[in-house]
Amino acid sequence: MNASGAPRYLAYRLTLESPLIVTRRHGDPNSAGTRPYINGSAIRGVVARRLLQAGVSAESDEFRRMVLSSEVRYLNAYPEIQRVRALPMPLSWRPEKADPRRGWDLVYFPPFSDTAGREGPRARWPEEQLQAPGAPFVSPNPSSGIWLVAAPRVDARIHHQRDRIKGRAWKDAGGSHGAIFTYEFLEAGQTFRGLIQFMPSAAECEYRLRDLFSGPIEIGRSRRAGYGGDARIEFLDTGPREYAGAHRLLDRSLARDERFRILLVSPCVIRDPFTGQADPAAMEPCLRERLADCAEIEDRWWDFEIAGGFNQKWALEVPQALAVRAGSVFVARALRELPLDMLLELEHQGVGERRTEGFGRIVLLEYDERDRRIRLDAASQERAEPASQQGEIADEKIQFLLDLLERRILLEAAEAELRRAAWEVAAATQNIPSKALIGRIRSLLREGHDETRAAAALDALNRWVADWSVSDKKKAGEQLRKCQLHGKSLLDWLGLLTGAPANERWRNLEQASAGRAELTALSQTRYVRTQETAGEVLARYGAVLTVGFLDEFMNALARGSVER
């Protein structure tokens, strides 16, 4: 494709002034997860809404051209790393478990089936224990030989839907009225960088688009609940390619037998041309066809995900399909000369369906075995730091990412085991208290969303237990004293759990769970750094885990009282 007929890529920076939910597929119907980036369909939806608000008909040529055709394409907005749009992490990258700052790119190693009988460095796979990267994005260029990795800041909130008249959630024969649900969101204050691709026939649409994005924009879901209500777009310069200037970007024709890499930088939905069904396996035949059978795919590192969405205008879900995941890497070999124009045409056009929304984007890269060894580091902060502190800051960020990863793995595993333990302990409990008393205790425990609030909830419950223990005439204390488990009264058992010092809460939980082996071995089986750091994480979040265990235990007692 010659320069005069090449598309243009308009870069923009999107700054979040409020939390944002960009919905992804989630298994829990009472919760919403967010993507770690802003997908192109959300930006296209803003354009469609503002055109309609400006009085442009949905049947007009302008609307069709800017929203429905493939002349203007809205590419995903990824986090910024040092003022540059990040790349999705290649799926072939594997850091070492012992030192996550070092790793390997496995595309430069032969498949296991091809290593038999081979000699030399290409036949020897890394002997270190490897793991998947802990961050979803990486810089397109290494800095002093080091690739900077990053993950957007994500948080979650718990919401309570309740009956507006009764002021609480309740059940009857007709079902549940109200629920507890969780929203996961991108935190405010973050910046993302995206691109809008203009085909040569739509070059004049750029000026119209700049006008449409004046002022704050609203994207994402649940805007009435305080999410996605305020974001700002700042347009930057234009470029000739999606990742112009990226490391090892292919910018020349290829001779016969030369290898090159095809990196998928957004999910790809593709259909089998014979069956008409969405089938990721059609990716390789499509690539060969687009390259006029002048190349073959030798190796691949890929994964899959479900791609869907929701059309707010029609209030309908977009049909879901299995897509090739962003970050997938294909190694191709030229069977004959591959001209640069053909390669650029493939990169500009992309592959598969929904390309107007940013799906099916690829970047062509050189195949250079000097990149076999990779070095990773956390992306530095935006503000300038003294040179003497830069190394310390990088180490701190790596430790922060490792702590975050280890914390999530351990807490998820601990919560799952504690739920099982709570039901086992409840099954052996006799003389269960009334549901009213159980509900009163649970109302206090539900305030423990974080370690500080959980510790306060345990202190409050401990005061209740102490007050109930003062007089035998108190009905609550009498019920808890009659309730027996593991040779103790429920009143004494609660007193031990809630009155434990902060550094002994996890140890008390292990004992309260009837010595469940899976729980006591968590620090040995689920650690990321060392067993000691894993033990420190569990001890650090002893209050949250204790509150979760007690809440599930009380829930099991309430259900058990109904069944009995």
Side-chain angles (χ1 to χ4, degrees), residues 462-474 476-478 480-481 489 491-492 495:
N462 185 256
R463 289 194 296 271
W464 286 8
V465 170
D467 184 50
W468 291 332
S469 303
V470 171
S471 174
D472 293 341
K473 298 180 180 180
K474 293 202 172 183
E478 184 179 354
L480 296 176
R481 197 172 290 106
S489 69
L491 187 67
D492 294 336

Side-chain angles (χ1 to χ4, degrees), residues 143-164:
S143 176
S144 300
I146 298 176
W147 296 91
L148 302 178
V149 300
R153 300 191 303 274
V154 178
D155 204 346
R157 290 176 183 163
I158 297 178
H159 296 260
H160 183 197
Q161 181 187 29
R162 56 188 179 180
D163 188 290
R164 293 184 180 274

Side-chain angles (χ1 to χ4, degrees), residues 8 10 47 51 61-74 196-213 235 238:
R8 295 174 47 138
L10 174 62
V47 174
L51 284 172
D61 292 338
E62 182 183 12
F63 189 91
R64 291 180 179 274
R65 193 176 199 184
M66 297 189 66
V67 178
L68 303 177
S69 73
S70 293
E71 296 180 73
V72 181
R73 302 179 180 182
Y74 304 90
I196 300 175
Q197 182 188 29
F198 296 95
M199 291 301 176
S201 58
E204 69 279 4
C205 294
E206 176 182 340
Y207 303 102
R208 175 62 166 152
L209 200 66
R210 289 176 181 267
D211 293 337
L212 290 175
F213 280 104
F235 286 103
T238 59

Side-chain angles (χ1 to χ4, degrees), residues 34-110:
T34 185
R35 292 186 178 95
Y37 62 90
I38 301 170
N39 55 331
S41 57
I43 304 300
R44 189 180 72 145
V46 174
V47 174
R49 182 165 57 251
R50 295 213 163 177
L51 284 172
L52 294 174
Q53 291 173 349
V56 178
S57 170
E59 303 297 328
S60 65
D61 292 338
E62 182 183 12
F63 189 91
R64 291 180 179 274
R65 193 176 199 184
M66 297 189 66
V67 178
L68 303 177
S69 73
S70 293
E71 296 180 73
V72 181
R73 302 179 180 182
Y74 304 90
L75 312 188
N76 296 337
Y78 295 136
E80 281 192 328
I81 299 180
Q82 292 190 341
R83 299 284 180 173
V84 178
R85 181 175 180 243
L87 270 172
M89 181 70 70
L91 299 183
S92 60
W93 285 18
R94 289 293 184 271
E96 298 176 9
K97 189 168 186 179
D99 185 1
R101 292 174 292 184
R102 304 172 58 187
W104 301 89
D105 189 347
L106 299 185
V107 300
Y108 297 109
F109 294 88

Side-chain angles (χ1 to χ4, degrees), residues 328-341:
S328 298
V329 184
F330 300 84
V331 178
R333 181 175 65 88
L335 300 176
R336 56 184 66 88
E337 183 181 356
L338 273 173
L340 179 59
D341 286 351

